[in-house]
Structure formats: C-alpha cells, structure tokens
Amino acid sequence: MSRSFIMVILLHIFDPQMATIIDGKGLALSLRGKIKEEVSQYKNSGNRSPHLAAILVGDDGASKTYVNSKERDCDFVGFDSTVHRLPSETSENDLLALIESINLNDQIDGLIVQLPLPKHIDSAKVTDSIDPKIDVDGFHTINVGRLTKNEDTYISATPFGIMIMLEEYGIETKGKHCVVIGRSNIVGRPMSILMSRGGYPGESTVTICHRHTQDLKSHTLMADIVIVAVGKPHFLKGDMIKDGAAVVDVGITRVDADNAKGYELRGDAHYDELVDKCSAITPVPGGVGPMTRYGLLYNTLKSYKRKLNL
Ligand code: NAD
C-alpha cells in the first residue's frame, strides 16, 4: 500500500466527509524517484542511458513550456534527451524525413512530436510515421488499436497517469458509472476505453459525452466518476455532480492573471464548488498534469528496457 493511500485513510478517520484531494504532484514526484533509481542501476551495470527525442514545430507558448518541462524531467531521472526545435514554416516532407532518421537511430528509445502542429502539416500522417516501437505518446494507429484490444502497448501519457492515480488512491471503479466529458484521441476516447476494460482500474459502465451531447447535466448527475477534458475553465459546476462522486479534472487553460507570468492555470472543474460535494478530486495545477509527465517517462523506460532486453 502506498504512502499517499495510507495518508488518505488516516485523514478520513478524522473527517469521513472530507473529499480526498488527489495529489498528482506528490505521487508523480515519488514515482519519478523510482524511475531515477532504476535508471541509475541500469547505468551502473554498464548500460547506456534511456534517450527521449522530441520535435517541436513553431513557437506556441504552451507547447514550448511542455517540451521544456519534458526535457527537465528527463534530466531529473537520468535520461538523455534531444529536442529538435523547428521553425513553423517547416515543410511536412522535412518533418517526415527527420522522423524517419530518428526511427532508424538505434540509440533513441522514445520519439514524441509535440501537438498541435502548424495547419499545413497533416498531424495524423506525422503521428503514423513514428515507429510504433518508439511511439511513447501512444498516438500511432497501431498502438491505439492495441489499447482498444487490451493488448500490451504504450498507453498515452494522460490516460495512463489518470489510471495510476485512481489505482494509487484506491478509487473504486468496478461496476461504477463513469462519465467522460470530451472525446479527443489523446484523452477522452482512450479514457473511455480504459475505464470499461477488464481489471482494475476499469470494469466501469462508461458514458462518453461531447459537444453535441444533449442535457449533459442529466448524465453527469448519474456518475460515480466524472472525467472532464473539454478545455473550458470551470465547465463542471457543483450542481452537475451527485454527492460523493469522484472528479478527475484534465483541463488546463491559461487565463490572464496579475502575477509575474501574466497567467494562471485553470481546470475544467469548478474546484471550489465541487470540493465539498465530491469524494475525491484532482486539483489544477498539481493533479493530472504531473502524472502525464510521469506517463511519458514510464513509456520511454518501457521502450528502453525492451530494446536492451532488461
Ligand atoms: P480537444 O479540444 O481535443 O477536445 C475537447 C472535447 O471537449 C471535444 O471532444 C468536444 O466534443 C468536447 N466538448 C467541447 N465543448 C463541450 C461541451 N459544451 N459539452 C461537452 N463536451 C464538450 O481537447 P483535449 O486535447 O482532449 O484537451 C482537453 C483539455 O485537457 C484541454 O484543456 C487540454 O489543455 C487539457 N489537457 C491536459 C492534459 C494534462 O496533462 N493535464 C493533457 C492533455 C490535455
């Protein structure tokens, strides 16, 4: 049983009504520490470092921040990392050629192409040009297919991180009704597949909602677990869930703020309205985001171990 889970049990003994605040930041820190230890053992045995390559096209502010933090994470756990920063006018052919050269490089264990890409580049084509063996984002059609069939694959980082959080915090999922809001390929759809699959976490009855869902509240009010990934700050309000539901807030939106950065991060869930009503909730920041970053490290290590037969 993990330390965070024991803490949660102790807190509930003192205040059984209190919502569990799922500490994604703390959990990710502890899990990253384990990766660091494992990597150090492999290196001490004479193996090379795991190596993650990232491609960033253009100068979108949020994408730059994400890539920089992935680089720092690699450094922390002892991975090598290479970031290819390309101008926004890079042609699709040039990008595909770079991906092909990385696919052929035996020393690279993981390759990610930061999305979104500029409009003149076909993202689906790019995603499917990455060798599925090093597609540590898990976006390649083959890896998505494997996920759908419950075969071993790279589960994309955000859904993977959420599954680990649910597991670590012992959130009951079997036979529960899970409502996923958002059907994107990177969050909502894989989440819906994972929550309905056999095993734990999973075995839930899943409803997937999207922009054309009628009377969304009638669905969310029936949910034991709500996973919200729409990208609209404070979208899920207090009157949209039943007492005791668990809320996973995936949304991250930058809103203007009077601080040094000029912005702050806002989730899709209205935390203040929900916290006294739900049984558990992930905060923003400090919830799903850090666990997503952990998911990428986990997948890169998995690829490395496969390549080196460790
Ligand atoms: P997306 O824009 O691809 O998808 C949004 C989804 O929301 C769509 O499926 C759409 O149908 C649905 N939607 C929009 N309006 C709706 C409405 N009124 N009612 C019901 N559904 C509605 O977004 P995405 O890539 O899935 O990301 C969603 C959010 O999660 C964004 O804020 C993004 O920044 C964030 N995100 C966070 C992480 C993380 O690590 N925490 C990772 C990925 C994405």
Side-chain angles (χ1 to χ4, degrees), residues 26-296:
L27 182 56
L29 200 63
S30 125
L31 293 170
R32 276 194 307 167
K34 286 186 186 162
I35 290 192
K36 185 179 176 155
E37 255 172 53
E38 198 178 338
V39 169
S40 138
Q41 281 167 15
Y42 292 137
K43 290 207 253 185
N44 288 342
S45 314
N47 296 294
R48 66 168 172 83
S49 304
H51 192 156
L52 175 68
I55 302 177
L56 173 65
V57 186
D59 48 18
D60 175 71
S63 293
K64 275 188 189 167
T65 309
Y66 293 143
V67 169
N68 290 344
S69 56
K70 287 166 188 173
E71 223 178 350
R72 279 200 307 277
D73 289 346
C74 283
D75 195 42
F76 177 84
V77 296
F79 291 3
D80 289 338
S81 64
T82 306
V83 180
H84 300 266
R85 292 182 171 83
L86 308 179
S88 51
E89 44 308 339
T90 301
S91 72
E92 186 177 287
N93 279 344
D94 284 351
L95 177 58
L96 293 173
L98 173 60
I99 292 171
E100 188 51 18
S101 71
I102 296 172
N103 284 340
L104 295 171
N105 184 339
D106 199 35
Q107 305 293 303
I108 305 259
D109 305 294
L111 168 60
I112 57 166
V113 178
Q114 186 66 43
L115 301 177
L117 288 167
K119 291 213 169 12
H120 65 278
I121 298 178
D122 179 346
S123 300
K125 194 170 170 187
V126 166
T127 301
D128 275 353
S129 71
I130 297 173
D131 180 346
K133 292 196 203 70
I134 60 167
D135 166 42
V136 287
D137 259 339
F139 295 160
H140 193 290
T141 304
I142 288 180
N143 286 326
V144 175
R146 286 191 181 129
L147 173 87
T148 309
K149 292 177 74 182
N150 209 10
E151 291 174 6
D152 186 36
T153 185
Y154 298 114
I155 300 175
S156 51
T158 304
F160 177 80
I162 293 172
M163 296 299 271
I164 300 285
M165 281 200 291
L166 295 175
E167 186 178 359
E168 283 286 327
Y169 276 82
I171 307 287
E172 188 59 72
T173 58
K174 188 175 182 176
K176 301 292 179 190
H177 183 192
C178 174
V179 169
V180 179
I181 317 175
R183 59 178 172 188
S184 70
N185 288 336
I186 65 166
V187 189
R189 197 171 301 285
M191 234 20 264
S192 70
I193 294 166
L194 290 167
M195 291 302 284
S196 66
R197 74 176 184 181
Y200 177 72
E203 313 277 19
S204 294
T205 302
V206 177
T207 301
I208 181 154
C209 298
H210 46 80
R211 66 178 77 248
H212 299 294
T213 298
Q214 311 237 322
D215 194 5
L216 178 68
K217 190 172 160 182
S218 69
H219 296 284
T220 54
L221 277 173
M222 288 196 302
D224 302 301
I225 302 164
V226 181
I227 300 172
V228 56
V230 299
K232 295 183 178 170
H234 290 179
F235 179 80
L236 185 75
K237 311 244 184 284
D239 64 353
M240 290 173 74
I241 66 158
K242 70 178 180 187
D243 284 342
V247 175
V248 176
D249 185 357
V250 186
I252 305 177
T253 306
R254 287 182 176 196
V255 295
D256 292 343
D258 195 11
N259 58 23
K261 283 184 180 165
Y263 69 87
E264 63 183 29
L265 300 180
R266 189 95 23 106
D268 286 349
H270 198 307
Y271 185 89
D272 291 343
E273 286 184 13
L274 292 160
V275 70
D276 292 331
K277 217 176 163 193
C278 60
S279 56
I281 187 164
T282 63
V284 175
V288 175
M291 289 302 292
T292 296
R293 286 166 59 177
Y294 164 70
L296 183 63

